[in-house]
Amino acid sequence: METVGGYTQEKVHVSATNFTTRTTVTALCVMAGLFSPSKQIFKDLPNWQPIPVWQNTSDFDKAYLFIDPYLASQTCPRFGKVLWKAKEMIRKPDPIKDRQVIYKLLQSFTGDPNADNEECASNIFDTLHFQDLNGLPVPTWATQPQPQCKNISLYPDLLGAICLESFYDTIYPKNEKYVLQFYAGPIVNSVQEQLKINSNQGEEKYRFHATHDSTVFALLSGIGVEVKSLIEPGDGVHCLKFTERTPVQ
C-alpha cells in the first residue's frame, strides 16, 4: 500500500455486498490491517482507526445471488431461470459411477440418506472446512484414508473436488458463456469502467470491494482464468492500472 499512503476518504473507497454481514466485517478487518493509524486515536481501544464501508445494492456484483434463486428471479427473470435450472441439476442424485462409493460413505457417516448429490456433498465440505479453519476438531471419518477410494480421505480431497465442480455446474455449467454473463458480466464491466478512470481526475488511488467466493469465481472465469481450486477465505483479485509505460528492453 506504499503507493496509497495513509488513509483518507478521498483516496480510499471501500464497499461490501449487503447480502450478508460477514462481507462488511471482512472489509473492516482488512482496512484495520492496511491502515493502522500513526498515533493512538482511542484511549481504551487498540491502535485502530474507523474506516467507512459502503454497503450497496450490488448492481455490479450479482454473482452472490446464486445463493438465493428466488432473489435472483426478482432481480432478473432470465437469470432466475438459469439459476433454478443449475440448482436442480446439482440437487439431483449424482450419476457419476466413480462417486457412488463416496456418497455411500457420506450416508453412512452422516446418517443422511439424501447425501447423494453435489449440493449435499458441498454443504458437508463447507461445514468441515470452517470447523478446520476455526481450529475445531474435524471428525476422524472425514480425514482418515478410505480404502474404498484408493486411500484418499473424504476431507479435504474428495469432497473438495466435488465442491469445486458444483461451482462450475452452478456458475459456469458446461462452459456456456451465455450463462457466465449473468454472473460475471456486471462485475467485469464495473472493473473495466473503474480502470478507465483517469487518476488525474481526483485523489482516489484505491478501491476495495468485499464480496463472496462465488463473485471471485465468476470474475476469474469471466476474464478467462480457469479456476482450479476452491476460493478460500481471504482470496481476492487485485486489479492494477498502469499509468506509465515501461520501455521494452
Side-chain angles (χ1 to χ4, degrees):
M1 299 304 297
E2 293 180 0
T3 57
V4 177
Y7 169 80
T8 66
Q9 196 166 353
E10 291 74 25
K11 289 193 297 185
V12 179
H13 183 274
V14 188
S15 63
T17 58
N18 62 356
F19 188 74
T20 61
T21 304
R22 66 176 181 267
T23 54
T24 302
V25 174
T26 294
L28 290 169
C29 290
V30 173
M31 292 303 107
L34 287 177
F35 300 105
S36 57
S38 57
K39 61 181 180 179
Q40 192 77 20
I41 295 178
F42 300 103
K43 181 179 179 181
D44 299 321
L45 290 175
N47 195 26
W48 166 79
Q49 65 173 324
I51 293 177
V53 176
W54 302 96
Q55 286 190 325
N56 53 52
T57 55
S58 300
D59 292 333
F60 61 91
D61 179 2
K62 299 186 184 302
Y64 74 95
L65 291 173
F66 97 108
I67 303 171
D68 189 339
Y70 176 76
L71 186 59
S73 299
Q74 300 301 307
T75 304
C76 172
R78 189 177 177 191
F79 183 24
K81 290 181 180 179
V82 168
L83 187 52
W84 278 115
K85 183 178 180 181
K87 286 290 188 180
E88 287 176 358
M89 181 174 66
I90 66 171
R91 288 169 179 167
K92 290 181 179 180
D94 195 330
I96 299 178
K97 291 183 179 180
D98 293 343
R99 290 182 181 167
Q100 299 312 306
V101 63
I102 298 176
Y103 292 115
K104 287 182 179 179
L105 288 170
L106 289 179
Q107 291 168 352
S108 175
F109 289 131
T110 66
D112 183 0
N114 297 314
D116 61 356
N117 56 75
E118 289 183 13
E119 184 178 63
C120 188
S122 297
N123 290 338
I124 294 172
F125 173 85
D126 279 346
T127 300
L128 297 173
H129 193 42
F130 284 103
Q131 285 182 222
D132 194 12
L133 290 174
N134 286 281
L136 299 174
V138 178
T140 304
W141 61 260
T143 58
Q144 66 186 6
Q146 297 295 337
Q148 308 96 312
C149 304
K150 300 180 180 180
N151 284 324
I152 301 174
S153 62
L154 290 170
Y155 175 83
D157 301 315
L158 296 175
L159 292 180
I162 295 176
C163 188
L164 178 59
E165 187 167 329
S166 73
F167 267 92
Y168 270 103
D169 288 341
T170 306
I171 297 176
Y172 200 7
K174 301 178 181 178
N175 293 343
E176 295 177 344
K177 293 184 178 180
Y178 88 94
V179 174
L180 184 61
Q181 70 182 348
F182 291 104
Y183 294 94
I187 196 165
V188 170
N189 181 68
S190 176
V191 171
Q192 289 177 328
E193 290 300 316
Q194 292 181 48
L195 290 176
K196 290 178 183 177
I197 298 175
N198 191 318
S199 59
N200 294 327
Q201 293 179 347
E203 296 184 45
E204 187 175 290
K205 294 181 178 292
Y206 179 69
R207 280 190 169 235
F208 179 88
H209 179 62
T211 185
H212 302 273
D213 51 357
S214 55
T215 299
V216 176
F217 184 99
L219 177 57
L220 290 172
S221 298
I223 61 177
V225 177
E226 182 182 0
V227 183
K228 296 184 178 180
S229 60
L230 290 168
I231 307 299
E232 296 283 353
D235 286 349
V237 180
H238 193 190
C239 301
L240 294 173
K241 177 184 178 182
F242 296 95
T243 56
E244 297 180 1
R245 294 183 180 273
T246 304
V248 178
Q249 303 295 329

